[in-house]
């Protein structure tokens, strides 16, 4: 039996391929719970006002958005190795007017 290909190029390619449908699938498959999970994660982290946050594997920036909405003065830098996900996150944060708080 051959082990699945878990190379960074394969994984980033997979996320690039699903990027246009990622948010919708996340909402539908979780029956909307994904939004609550992110809000709870931000609450549980106890991020102080004005914090600078690094969101690794940010995807389309939903956790970054939740963070700046819940934590006064917070800024977030999102990093991901799937370029298509980052591009969608940039569009999202720009449309929401959060591109100064999220990079």
């Amino acid at each position: 039996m051959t082990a699945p290909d878990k190379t960074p190029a394969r994984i980033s390619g997979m996320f690039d391929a699903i990027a246009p449908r990622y948010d919708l699938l996340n909402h539908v498959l979780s029956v909307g719970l994904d939004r609550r999970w992110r809000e709870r994660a931000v609450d549980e982290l106890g991020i102080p006002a004005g914090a600078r946050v690094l969101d690794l594997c940010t995807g389309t920036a939903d956790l970054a958005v939740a963070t700046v909405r819940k934590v006064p003065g917070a800024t977030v830098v999102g990093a991901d190795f799937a370029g298509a996900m980052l591009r969608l996150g940039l569009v999202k944060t720009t449309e929401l007017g959060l591109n100064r708080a999220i990079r």
Side-chain angles (χ1 to χ4, degrees):
M1 178 177 255
T2 305
D5 183 359
K6 295 184 181 180
T7 61
R10 169 77 170 106
I11 294 169
S12 67
M14 178 189 69
F15 279 101
D16 282 341
I18 66 169
R21 298 173 304 283
Y22 183 80
D23 285 348
L24 176 63
L25 288 171
N26 205 12
H27 300 322
V28 170
L29 294 175
S30 73
V31 193
L33 290 175
D34 61 305
R35 291 179 176 110
R36 284 186 243 156
W37 294 332
R38 281 188 292 280
E39 288 180 15
R40 182 164 180 189
V42 174
D43 290 341
E44 292 292 324
L45 287 168
I47 302 168
R52 295 173 65 196
V53 177
L54 175 61
D55 180 8
L56 293 174
C57 300
T58 195
T60 62
D62 280 340
L63 185 59
V65 169
T67 300
V68 300
R69 284 184 168 166
K70 289 192 74 104
V71 180
T75 57
V76 179
V77 172
D80 203 297
F81 65 165
M85 298 287 266
L86 283 174
R87 283 187 290 280
L88 288 172
L90 178 60
V91 169
K92 180 187 297 178
T93 58
T94 300
E95 287 176 353
L96 293 171
L98 299 174
N99 53 333
R100 286 188 172 200
I102 301 171
R103 301 199 180 259

